[in-house]
Every structure is written in C-alpha cells, then in structure tokens.
Amino acid sequence: MTLTTSHSSSAPVTADTVSSAVSQAIHQHRLAPGTKLGEDELSDIYGVSRTIVRTALQSLAHQHIIEIKRNRGAFVAQPSLTEAQEVFEVRELLEPRTARSAAQKATANDVALLQDHITQEHTAIDAGDRGRALYLSGKFHVEIARIAQHQTIADMINVLVARSSLIIALYWRRESAICESQAHHALINAIGDNDAARAEELMQSHLVDLHSALNLKELPAVEQDLRTMLLGNQGR
Amino acid sequence: MTLTTSHSSSAPVTADTVSSAVSQAIHQHRLAPGTKLGEDELSDIYGVSRTIVRTALQSLAHQHIIEIKRNRGAFVAQPSLTEAQEVFEVRELLEPRTARSAAQKATANDVALLQDHITQEHTAIDAGDRGRALYLSGKFHVEIARIAQHQTIADMINVLVARSSLIIALYWRRESAICESQAHHALINAIGDNDAARAEELMQSHLVDLHSALNLKELPAVEQDLRTMLLGNQGR
DNA sequence: GCGCACATTATTGTATACAATGCTTGCCCA
DNA sequence: TGGGCAAGCATTGTATACAATAATGTGCGC
C-alpha cells in the first residue's frame, strides 16, 4: 500500500521514474485495484510537480494499468471479467510462439539469466515477499520475449503481464496452489535444450494453467468495490 | 502534408481530438515519416495550449506512431526494417484467429457494415483519394476485431494498423499492385457465410500478401532521412 | 577562405497560477 | 427525522510563465 521512494540516488526524477515505481507497486500488489492515485499525493512523494505526475499517469493509463476518469482522478484499474478473459486469450496467442522462437535463439548466457531469475524468485518466496515473487514471475515471461529478440512482442507482453497481475489480484482462487516455479523450471530446460516444440507446448499449458487458476465465473463489479472499500486496500 | 481542422463544430478540442487528427493524417500519408511536429505549430492549428498538444503527442508516442526525442521534439516515426518485420509477425499471430472468431459471431448487420466499408473504399479510390482508401482498408481490419467482440485485440490491431501504414509509406514496392479490395471482399464472403476456417485462412494469406508486397530487404535509415530531406515530405 | 568559439534564437521541459468540476457538509424545510 | 439543496472545499483540467537545452548564426583568428 505504500509507495517507497526506494533508491535515493541523485538522479533526476522523470516521468518514467514515477511511472515505473507505481507500476511496480501495482505489480507487487502493494496497491490494490480501485485505489485512488491523487496527483498532489504523488507529487509530494516523488518531489516533482503535477506536470510530471500527470505524464506518468497518462503512460500507465495507456497500458490499462490505471484508469483515468475525467475530473475524478486516476485509480488502479479493476479489469472486468471480460477483460480478464481477453488478456489471457491474447497471451495464449502470443507467448507460445514466442517461447518457441526463444528456444531457437537462446544462448548459454540467456539460459543462465533465466536461471538467475528463478533463483531470485525462490529467494523472494523464502523471504515471504509474495509480491516480489509475483513480480519476478511476470518478468520471466518478458525475459523470454527478449531472448526471442522480438521487441514488439516483448513490449506487449510486458503490458499484458502487468494487467495479468491486476487480474490475479481480483480473480485468483484461494484454493489453487502456486505451482508456478515448476512450470518455469520446465520451460528453462526446454529452452536450454533448444527444444522449440517443447518450449511452445510448455508455455501453452503454463498459460492455460494460470488461466484456469482464476475464478472467472462471476464476482460482479459492485462486490469488488464493496470489498475494497471494506477491507481498505490490503484485503485478500 | 496539411493538417486540416476538418469539422468546425463547437465541440471543445481535447487531447483526443488532436491525437486522432494527427493519427489520421499520418494514416492517410498526408504526413510523411520523419516530419517534425512542433508543439507551437500544433497548438496554433487546433487553438489549444501546448499542454493539450503534449498530451496528444505522448499518446501517439505510446502507439509508436511518432517518436519523441528529448529536447528535440516529436517526429513522425520511421519504423526500422526489424520493426516492420515484427509488426507484421504480430499481426499474423493475432488477426487470423480474430477473423475466425468474427466469422463465428458475425450478424447480418455486421456484414452489411463491412460491405459499406468496402463501398466507401471504392468511392475513395475512384475519387483518386489514395490516402483515404488506405485509411479505410486499415479500419476494415479493426472492424473485424470489433465484430469478434474482442476489445483488447481490437485496440492492438488499431495500433498495429497505424504502424503498418507507416511501414507501407517507407517500404512499399512500387511494382506491386493494389489487389487489396479483392482479399477484403473474399473475407466478407467467408464471414457472411459464418465459415470460420475459411475466414482464418483468408486473413492469414491476406497478411502474407501484404507482408510480401513490402521491400524489407534493405533501405538503410540514412537513405530514408536523406530522401525525406531532399524530396520534402511528398516523394514516393 | 576555413574553422572554431561564442552569442543569439527557437523550441522543448518543468513548475505554477488560475479555472472548472465534482464531492462533502451542513442547513433548511417538509 | 429525512431528503434535498446550496455553499465551501478539495481535486483535476488548462493555460501560461520561466528554465534548460539544442540549433543557428556571427565574428574572430589563423
């Protein structure tokens, strides 16, 4: 729920600084869907004028991570059921082929980077930092697109992953366990072996798994609002 | 090359107004890749402050339609060879399936709308308004995504189509004829018949056709710059 | 005449002031 | 007591003023 200023360094605070800080906070579930992002509040936190903050917010709105309601302000997005379905459908269209391509192009160095990624993920889990683990597991997918050397898809997946994080915040089923790192591990192996077909298939089933771990049957908007109101940004 | 203010109506000019006006001008090849978009210039044209113009430009930059160089200004984007390849690869991943879905869901009314689209396209061609014809043929693809009732994909295709327009401006081969409307006509028929498999296949080959009508072998950035400089926005 | 340094100018980046909108609160009246 | 209306307040939208940067032009020295 807090927006840490994190690194103190003397680098000038740009719109991108603010934008990625907020994005990361949302991604890590430190900001719940529906939370109001006041402009004055943000400019205080980051020590810049509202001009910069507004630029950052517009950028996030373009990624569907927040929603800007005219004369009302910016709020962390609350993806609808339909939108949630759509996001995963698009991911299922883009990512398997991308994983295939990554498997074809991956170098030993790339694989090492992915391994490192998983390691960090485990570290975060052990430290009980569930938010950071979620963030890293998302970045894993972006990293694969980078290995596939496809900037356009990488950008798209970056956004889709962030949106997925919001979807998970809203629709994740309590019952379903987090068996993610297994799937990621299998993917690394396939990519390391340059086994394109297997990588594609694994990514496909991984996404289907994720998709089915969501409760996308109902949970109307009203109830969402009520819940966030009652639990005050940190429930769930 | 000119940015017409078009409709005079008394509606207030918002960032979206400016954004879509510029977007449409680019889409119609009235603004060539590389053209500088000065902030003062635009605020004069549309009678709003630079604040609004900047918001509009940021929006266009997010869509990769223009490029904002820090302290230098905004320029109509010049997609690289790699980017051009990537854009069409993504379209080939997204659009065939979307066409399939559209064929499954299309109503008689939808088909009529598509027909109307084609008619307008022909009218534009007959009137010699090549720019408008290009614009309409792009919107045709967006319309199919709308029929498929997939907002997320529709948004993506909208952007990809605009980027494609820039790619066409830079890489279109003089030799290749414009046999587009035939492909679109065939697609309408498949969709009207609710023939999902055929629609998917037709869209696939249509995109491959488009892709192969581009000269994506070479044509280095330097030459592009020089050319636009020397020919002043209307060559090619 | 050529090239480099410096002054000038034009344009973008940022902050702030003001306007407009919507929300809240408290009052009035039924 | 409860609903509705109005005034005040908080917040966002827009315009403008100022600062910083890059582009341009000028003059000097070689």
Side-chain angles (χ1 to χ4, degrees):
Chain A
M1 172 155 181
T2 36
L3 279 171
T4 55
T5 45
S6 63
H7 56 70
S8 54
S9 122
S10 60
V13 176
T14 82
D16 282 331
T17 315
V18 179
S19 165
S20 49
V22 174
S23 172
Q24 198 166 320
I26 292 175
H27 205 142
Q28 297 191 3
H29 289 186
R30 299 204 313 273
L31 286 171
T35 306
K36 168 97 190 259
L37 300 171
E39 296 180 359
D40 284 327
E41 191 179 2
L42 289 172
S43 44
D44 277 352
I45 293 175
Y46 295 104
V48 289
S49 75
R50 279 178 51 218
T51 309
I52 308 289
V53 170
R54 288 191 125 244
T55 305
L57 291 177
Q58 280 157 23
S59 170
L60 294 170
H62 281 293
Q63 301 172 49
H64 295 93
I65 293 174
I66 70 172
E67 188 186 355
I68 295 179
K69 302 180 184 175
R70 184 170 178 92
N71 288 321
R72 295 277 323 278
F75 303 82
V76 178
Q78 297 183 312
S80 69
L81 234 106
T82 307
E83 188 182 334
Q85 290 281 10
E86 290 185 356
V87 164
F88 274 90
E89 280 167 20
V90 172
R91 291 188 64 175
E92 280 160 34
L93 282 180
L94 294 180
E95 296 200 51
R97 287 284 198 91
T98 305
R100 164 184 283 272
S101 177
Q104 285 163 349
K105 295 182 180 173
T107 67
N109 191 40
D110 290 331
V111 178
L113 271 167
L114 284 178
Q115 286 285 9
D116 183 55
H117 227 282
I118 295 262
T119 307
Q120 283 187 267
E121 211 174 317
H122 278 291
T123 308
I125 290 174
D126 291 346
D129 193 345
R130 175 122 179 62
R132 180 164 168 76
L134 183 70
Y135 175 76
L136 287 167
S137 87
K139 285 296 177 197
F140 182 86
H141 288 248
V142 179
E143 187 65 15
I144 286 178
R146 193 198 55 74
I147 291 171
Q149 296 179 332
H150 204 300
Q151 188 63 44
T152 304
I153 287 186
D155 289 347
M156 287 178 160
I157 290 180
N158 194 44
V159 173
L160 291 169
V161 160
R163 293 173 76 175
S164 299
S165 175
L166 284 169
I167 291 165
I168 288 171
L170 286 173
Y171 300 105
W172 189 261
R173 293 204 289 217
R174 193 181 303 277
E175 319 99 50
S176 64
I178 322 137
C179 47
E180 281 226 345
S181 44
Q182 282 179 19
H184 285 187
H185 219 84
L187 257 166
I188 291 188
N189 287 337
I191 290 171
D193 295 347
N194 296 113
D195 188 338
R198 197 161 108 247
E200 180 170 359
E201 206 175 321
L202 282 171
M203 180 61 89
Q204 173 75 33
S205 59
H206 174 41
L207 288 171
V208 170
D209 268 6
L210 272 179
H211 196 155
S212 66
L214 300 172
N215 177 17
L216 295 180
K217 298 301 173 189
E218 45 207 326
L219 198 61
V222 179
E223 194 183 343
Q224 286 171 32
D225 280 347
L226 236 136
R227 179 180 294 197
T228 43
M229 291 307 167
L230 295 175
L231 300 182
N233 296 348
Q234 49 205 14
R236 179 176 311 102
Chain B
M1 173 159 181
T2 34
L3 279 171
T4 54
T5 45
S6 61
H7 56 70
S8 52
S9 118
S10 60
V13 176
T14 82
D16 283 330
T17 314
V18 179
S19 166
S20 50
V22 174
S23 172
Q24 196 166 322
I26 292 174
H27 205 141
Q28 299 192 2
H29 289 186
R30 299 205 313 274
L31 285 170
T35 306
K36 168 96 190 256
L37 300 171
E39 297 181 357
D40 284 328
E41 193 179 0
L42 289 173
S43 43
D44 276 354
I45 293 175
Y46 294 104
V48 288
S49 75
R50 278 179 52 221
T51 309
I52 307 288
V53 170
R54 287 189 125 242
T55 305
L57 291 177
Q58 279 156 23
S59 169
L60 294 169
H62 280 293
Q63 302 172 49
H64 295 94
I65 292 175
I66 69 172
E67 188 186 357
I68 295 179
K69 302 181 184 175
R70 185 174 177 88
N71 287 322
R72 297 274 326 276
F75 302 83
V76 178
Q78 296 182 315
S80 70
L81 234 105
T82 307
E83 188 181 335
Q85 290 281 10
E86 290 185 356
V87 164
F88 275 90
E89 279 166 20
V90 172
R91 291 188 64 175
E92 282 160 32
L93 281 181
L94 294 180
E95 296 200 53
R97 286 283 199 91
T98 305
R100 164 184 283 270
S101 176
Q104 285 164 348
K105 297 182 180 174
T107 67
N109 191 39
D110 290 330
V111 177
L113 271 167
L114 285 178
Q115 287 285 9
D116 182 55
H117 227 283
I118 294 263
T119 307
Q120 283 187 269
E121 211 174 317
H122 279 289
T123 308
I125 290 174
D126 292 344
D129 192 344
R130 175 124 179 60
R132 179 163 169 76
L134 183 70
Y135 174 76
L136 287 168
S137 87
K139 285 297 176 197
F140 182 85
H141 288 248
V142 179
E143 187 65 16
I144 286 177
R146 192 197 57 74
I147 292 171
Q149 294 178 332
H150 205 301
Q151 189 61 47
T152 304
I153 287 187
D155 290 346
M156 287 177 159
I157 290 180
N158 194 43
V159 172
L160 290 169
V161 160
R163 293 173 76 176
S164 298
S165 175
L166 284 169
I167 292 165
I168 288 171
L170 286 172
Y171 300 105
W172 189 262
R173 292 203 291 216
R174 193 180 305 276
E175 318 100 49
S176 62
I178 320 140
C179 46
E180 280 226 348
S181 45
Q182 281 180 19
H184 284 188
H185 219 82
L187 257 167
I188 291 188
N189 287 338
I191 291 172
D193 295 348
N194 297 114
D195 188 337
R198 195 160 109 249
E200 180 170 359
E201 205 175 322
L202 282 169
M203 179 61 89
Q204 172 74 32
S205 60
H206 174 40
L207 288 171
V208 170
D209 268 5
L210 272 180
H211 195 156
S212 68
L214 300 172
N215 177 17
L216 295 180
K217 298 301 175 191
E218 47 206 327
L219 197 61
V222 179
E223 194 181 343
Q224 287 171 30
D225 280 348
L226 237 135
R227 179 179 295 198
T228 44
M229 292 307 168
L230 295 173
L231 299 182
N233 298 347
Q234 50 206 12
R236 175 177 313 105

